[in-house]
Amino acid sequence: SRRCLLPIAAVAAASTISAAASGAAAADAAADDERGCLHGAEVRAVDGKGFGVVATGGIAAGDCILREQPLLVVEGSYDEDADLGEAIEARLSRLSTEDQQMFWSWQDVHADGAADKTSVGILRTNGLPVATDGDEDAAGVFVLGSRFNHSCSPNVQHTWWETPGEDVRFALREIPQGQELCISYLGISDLLSPRSERRAKLQQRFGFSCTCEACSLEGEDLALSDGRRSRLRDLDSELSECTCTVTPDGCILAVDEMVQLVDAELNGAPFLKCRAWTQGFQIAAAAMDLDLAESMARQALDQAELAEGRDSPQFALLQKCLEACT
């Protein structure tokens, strides 16, 4: 009989890194920066949002749109805003005058006006998680990455690659010329919540009421969307929390239902399909059902390639999962 040679704990982090945060861009935003370059897209004015990133031509699913190093990274956790502010400003002092001015031009949704901006507010409005050396509290701000607006049905996925220290963005589906490129500012659980909960979270943290395609639904369409997301959240919770108790047969049913709901509700978002099939792999491997584990790992790998590319840490990890089962 075959046995899985990769410890289950090794794939515990194989779900995609959730996204959080960035505000509207400054009026003088450039399309390129020495730290990164947009491919097939540009920064331009977007009605009702200030600035955003818009496709300049057709973009295929799985295309890499951006690889960018951060302008600034702050590691560690801080109990007091004053201590966090000191840490941010110490790092700001090492930047050029131009880069410092760029940082202070960014939006602070926690301030009453431009004169009340703080470095802490700017970081919380525009920062993205960048786990460095195992520090899960580290956050970075990006010249181009901070230009992407939010959607509850994102067409772009962003992931932090610790080596070589870049935020990387891939198209989750085909994007036609002229369409805005959006990421999700919400974590998985919040993204899979009903509209009222998503809007409340976004209003509290980023100061806006979402009017994306999913949040603009009304009546029966809204009820159907809320129901699908709630069911997705329940399935995700069951699969992630019950890895050792869900049977292989139950795993197949739950993963299949989750994938179908992702297709119906989130345009087949590869990062969520990858998450479902990765959880399925863990359950199957724990039950020593290596045929099922291999099938789940193979499907997760295909979706990881679309969401994060073949050079991503998750793709490499899932390759090891697949090899361990064959």
PDB file of all heavy atoms in Angstrom, residues 192-196 198 221-231 265:
ATOM      1  N   LEU A 192     -16.740  35.719   2.559  1.00  0.00           N
ATOM      2  CA  LEU A 192     -17.830  34.751   2.408  1.00  0.00           C
ATOM      3  C   LEU A 192     -18.995  35.060   3.348  1.00  0.00           C
ATOM      4  O   LEU A 192     -19.776  34.175   3.682  1.00  0.00           O
ATOM      5  CB  LEU A 192     -17.305  33.330   2.651  1.00  0.00           C
ATOM      6  CG  LEU A 192     -16.169  32.895   1.710  1.00  0.00           C
ATOM      7  CD1 LEU A 192     -15.752  31.456   2.026  1.00  0.00           C
ATOM      8  CD2 LEU A 192     -16.585  33.025   0.251  1.00  0.00           C
ATOM      9  N   SER A 193     -19.120  36.314   3.729  1.00  0.00           N
ATOM     10  CA  SER A 193     -20.211  36.752   4.594  1.00  0.00           C
ATOM     11  C   SER A 193     -21.296  37.437   3.766  1.00  0.00           C
ATOM     12  O   SER A 193     -21.047  37.879   2.636  1.00  0.00           O
ATOM     13  CB  SER A 193     -19.689  37.742   5.647  1.00  0.00           C
ATOM     14  OG  SER A 193     -18.736  37.131   6.479  1.00  0.00           O
ATOM     15  N   PRO A 194     -22.515  37.559   4.306  1.00  0.00           N
ATOM     16  CA  PRO A 194     -23.572  38.309   3.617  1.00  0.00           C
ATOM     17  C   PRO A 194     -23.170  39.765   3.411  1.00  0.00           C
ATOM     18  O   PRO A 194     -22.283  40.288   4.083  1.00  0.00           O
ATOM     19  CB  PRO A 194     -24.764  38.185   4.575  1.00  0.00           C
ATOM     20  CG  PRO A 194     -24.487  36.963   5.390  1.00  0.00           C
ATOM     21  CD  PRO A 194     -22.998  36.925   5.553  1.00  0.00           C
ATOM     22  N   ARG A 195     -23.855  40.436   2.477  1.00  0.00           N
ATOM     23  CA  ARG A 195     -23.507  41.808   2.122  1.00  0.00           C
ATOM     24  C   ARG A 195     -23.469  42.736   3.326  1.00  0.00           C
ATOM     25  O   ARG A 195     -22.552  43.556   3.447  1.00  0.00           O
ATOM     26  CB  ARG A 195     -24.495  42.357   1.083  1.00  0.00           C
ATOM     27  CG  ARG A 195     -24.149  43.791   0.652  1.00  0.00           C
ATOM     28  CD  ARG A 195     -25.131  44.340  -0.359  1.00  0.00           C
ATOM     29  NE  ARG A 195     -26.433  44.648   0.234  1.00  0.00           N
ATOM     30  CZ  ARG A 195     -27.459  45.146  -0.455  1.00  0.00           C
ATOM     31  NH1 ARG A 195     -27.327  45.387  -1.747  1.00  0.00           N
ATOM     32  NH2 ARG A 195     -28.610  45.393   0.136  1.00  0.00           N
ATOM     33  N   SER A 196     -24.444  42.647   4.210  1.00  0.00           N
ATOM     34  CA  SER A 196     -24.500  43.574   5.343  1.00  0.00           C
ATOM     35  C   SER A 196     -23.249  43.466   6.198  1.00  0.00           C
ATOM     36  O   SER A 196     -22.721  44.484   6.681  1.00  0.00           O
ATOM     37  CB  SER A 196     -25.748  43.307   6.191  1.00  0.00           C
ATOM     38  OG  SER A 196     -25.734  41.976   6.705  1.00  0.00           O
ATOM     39  N   ARG A 198     -20.232  42.296   5.160  1.00  0.00           N
ATOM     40  CA  ARG A 198     -19.079  42.766   4.386  1.00  0.00           C
ATOM     41  C   ARG A 198     -19.018  44.285   4.398  1.00  0.00           C
ATOM     42  O   ARG A 198     -17.958  44.879   4.621  1.00  0.00           O
ATOM     43  CB  ARG A 198     -19.156  42.263   2.937  1.00  0.00           C
ATOM     44  CG  ARG A 198     -19.142  40.763   2.777  1.00  0.00           C
ATOM     45  CD  ARG A 198     -18.831  40.345   1.340  1.00  0.00           C
ATOM     46  NE  ARG A 198     -19.647  40.975   0.324  1.00  0.00           N
ATOM     47  CZ  ARG A 198     -20.815  40.510  -0.125  1.00  0.00           C
ATOM     48  NH1 ARG A 198     -21.333  39.403   0.405  1.00  0.00           N
ATOM     49  NH2 ARG A 198     -21.485  41.137  -1.093  1.00  0.00           N
ATOM     50  N   ASP A 221     -32.034  38.320  -5.968  1.00  0.00           N
ATOM     51  CA  ASP A 221     -30.634  38.101  -6.349  1.00  0.00           C
ATOM     52  C   ASP A 221     -29.713  38.276  -5.146  1.00  0.00           C
ATOM     53  O   ASP A 221     -28.752  37.509  -4.965  1.00  0.00           O
ATOM     54  CB  ASP A 221     -30.226  39.081  -7.452  1.00  0.00           C
ATOM     55  CG  ASP A 221     -30.896  38.766  -8.780  1.00  0.00           C
ATOM     56  OD1 ASP A 221     -31.287  37.598  -8.980  1.00  0.00           O
ATOM     57  OD2 ASP A 221     -31.032  39.686  -9.612  1.00  0.00           O
ATOM     58  N   LEU A 222     -29.988  39.274  -4.322  1.00  0.00           N
ATOM     59  CA  LEU A 222     -29.178  39.494  -3.125  1.00  0.00           C
ATOM     60  C   LEU A 222     -29.358  38.339  -2.140  1.00  0.00           C
ATOM     61  O   LEU A 222     -28.378  37.854  -1.557  1.00  0.00           O
ATOM     62  CB  LEU A 222     -29.553  40.813  -2.459  1.00  0.00           C
ATOM     63  CG  LEU A 222     -28.859  41.106  -1.126  1.00  0.00           C
ATOM     64  CD1 LEU A 222     -27.342  41.162  -1.296  1.00  0.00           C
ATOM     65  CD2 LEU A 222     -29.384  42.409  -0.518  1.00  0.00           C
ATOM     66  N   ALA A 223     -30.590  37.908  -1.950  1.00  0.00           N
ATOM     67  CA  ALA A 223     -30.839  36.798  -1.028  1.00  0.00           C
ATOM     68  C   ALA A 223     -30.110  35.537  -1.479  1.00  0.00           C
ATOM     69  O   ALA A 223     -29.539  34.804  -0.660  1.00  0.00           O
ATOM     70  CB  ALA A 223     -32.339  36.539  -0.931  1.00  0.00           C
ATOM     71  N   LEU A 224     -30.114  35.278  -2.794  1.00  0.00           N
ATOM     72  CA  LEU A 224     -29.423  34.113  -3.330  1.00  0.00           C
ATOM     73  C   LEU A 224     -27.914  34.237  -3.106  1.00  0.00           C
ATOM     74  O   LEU A 224     -27.246  33.269  -2.692  1.00  0.00           O
ATOM     75  CB  LEU A 224     -29.728  33.970  -4.815  1.00  0.00           C
ATOM     76  CG  LEU A 224     -29.149  32.746  -5.536  1.00  0.00           C
ATOM     77  CD1 LEU A 224     -29.661  31.455  -4.920  1.00  0.00           C
ATOM     78  CD2 LEU A 224     -29.488  32.804  -7.026  1.00  0.00           C
ATOM     79  N   SER A 225     -27.358  35.433  -3.368  1.00  0.00           N
ATOM     80  CA  SER A 225     -25.930  35.659  -3.170  1.00  0.00           C
ATOM     81  C   SER A 225     -25.541  35.491  -1.705  1.00  0.00           C
ATOM     82  O   SER A 225     -24.557  34.812  -1.382  1.00  0.00           O
ATOM     83  CB  SER A 225     -25.554  37.067  -3.646  1.00  0.00           C
ATOM     84  OG  SER A 225     -24.216  37.378  -3.331  1.00  0.00           O
ATOM     85  N   ASP A 226     -26.323  36.091  -0.811  1.00  0.00           N
ATOM     86  CA  ASP A 226     -26.026  35.971   0.618  1.00  0.00           C
ATOM     87  C   ASP A 226     -26.083  34.512   1.069  1.00  0.00           C
ATOM     88  O   ASP A 226     -25.247  34.056   1.864  1.00  0.00           O
ATOM     89  CB  ASP A 226     -27.024  36.793   1.437  1.00  0.00           C
ATOM     90  CG  ASP A 226     -26.706  38.289   1.436  1.00  0.00           C
ATOM     91  OD1 ASP A 226     -25.618  38.665   0.961  1.00  0.00           O
ATOM     92  OD2 ASP A 226     -27.550  39.066   1.922  1.00  0.00           O
ATOM     93  N   GLY A 227     -27.058  33.776   0.556  1.00  0.00           N
ATOM     94  CA  GLY A 227     -27.183  32.371   0.919  1.00  0.00           C
ATOM     95  C   GLY A 227     -26.004  31.543   0.451  1.00  0.00           C
ATOM     96  O   GLY A 227     -25.496  30.677   1.182  1.00  0.00           O
ATOM     97  N   ARG A 228     -25.547  31.801  -0.787  1.00  0.00           N
ATOM     98  CA  ARG A 228     -24.397  31.052  -1.312  1.00  0.00           C
ATOM     99  C   ARG A 228     -23.142  31.351  -0.501  1.00  0.00           C
ATOM    100  O   ARG A 228     -22.364  30.453  -0.181  1.00  0.00           O
ATOM    101  CB  ARG A 228     -24.192  31.383  -2.790  1.00  0.00           C
ATOM    102  CG  ARG A 228     -25.218  30.755  -3.716  1.00  0.00           C
ATOM    103  CD  ARG A 228     -24.839  30.867  -5.179  1.00  0.00           C
ATOM    104  NE  ARG A 228     -24.776  32.240  -5.655  1.00  0.00           N
ATOM    105  CZ  ARG A 228     -25.487  32.695  -6.696  1.00  0.00           C
ATOM    106  NH1 ARG A 228     -26.320  31.894  -7.350  1.00  0.00           N
ATOM    107  NH2 ARG A 228     -25.355  33.943  -7.093  1.00  0.00           N
ATOM    108  N   ARG A 229     -22.934  32.615  -0.188  1.00  0.00           N
ATOM    109  CA  ARG A 229     -21.728  32.969   0.578  1.00  0.00           C
ATOM    110  C   ARG A 229     -21.771  32.381   1.990  1.00  0.00           C
ATOM    111  O   ARG A 229     -20.750  31.919   2.501  1.00  0.00           O
ATOM    112  CB  ARG A 229     -21.546  34.483   0.607  1.00  0.00           C
ATOM    113  CG  ARG A 229     -21.210  35.043  -0.772  1.00  0.00           C
ATOM    114  CD  ARG A 229     -20.586  36.403  -0.740  1.00  0.00           C
ATOM    115  NE  ARG A 229     -20.430  36.901  -2.106  1.00  0.00           N
ATOM    116  CZ  ARG A 229     -19.336  37.484  -2.574  1.00  0.00           C
ATOM    117  NH1 ARG A 229     -18.287  37.651  -1.789  1.00  0.00           N
ATOM    118  NH2 ARG A 229     -19.269  37.916  -3.825  1.00  0.00           N
ATOM    119  N   SER A 230     -22.924  32.437   2.605  1.00  0.00           N
ATOM    120  CA  SER A 230     -23.038  31.858   3.943  1.00  0.00           C
ATOM    121  C   SER A 230     -22.758  30.361   3.922  1.00  0.00           C
ATOM    122  O   SER A 230     -22.089  29.813   4.813  1.00  0.00           O
ATOM    123  CB  SER A 230     -24.432  32.132   4.520  1.00  0.00           C
ATOM    124  OG  SER A 230     -24.641  33.517   4.725  1.00  0.00           O
ATOM    125  N   ARG A 231     -23.279  29.688   2.908  1.00  0.00           N
ATOM    126  CA  ARG A 231     -23.024  28.250   2.785  1.00  0.00           C
ATOM    127  C   ARG A 231     -21.547  27.980   2.516  1.00  0.00           C
ATOM    128  O   ARG A 231     -20.964  27.037   3.071  1.00  0.00           O
ATOM    129  CB  ARG A 231     -23.891  27.664   1.663  1.00  0.00           C
ATOM    130  CG  ARG A 231     -23.698  26.168   1.436  1.00  0.00           C
ATOM    131  CD  ARG A 231     -23.949  25.360   2.682  1.00  0.00           C
ATOM    132  NE  ARG A 231     -23.779  23.935   2.445  1.00  0.00           N
ATOM    133  CZ  ARG A 231     -23.541  23.032   3.415  1.00  0.00           C
ATOM    134  NH1 ARG A 231     -23.460  23.425   4.689  1.00  0.00           N
ATOM    135  NH2 ARG A 231     -23.406  21.754   3.106  1.00  0.00           N
ATOM    136  N   GLU A 265     -20.981  31.881  -7.496  1.00  0.00           N
ATOM    137  CA  GLU A 265     -20.999  33.137  -6.743  1.00  0.00           C
ATOM    138  C   GLU A 265     -19.788  34.024  -6.982  1.00  0.00           C
ATOM    139  O   GLU A 265     -19.902  35.240  -6.961  1.00  0.00           O
ATOM    140  CB  GLU A 265     -21.109  32.827  -5.237  1.00  0.00           C
ATOM    141  CG  GLU A 265     -21.100  34.042  -4.327  1.00  0.00           C
ATOM    142  CD  GLU A 265     -22.270  34.990  -4.549  1.00  0.00           C
ATOM    143  OE1 GLU A 265     -23.317  34.555  -5.076  1.00  0.00           O
ATOM    144  OE2 GLU A 265     -22.141  36.184  -4.198  1.00  0.00           O
TER     145      GLU A 265
END
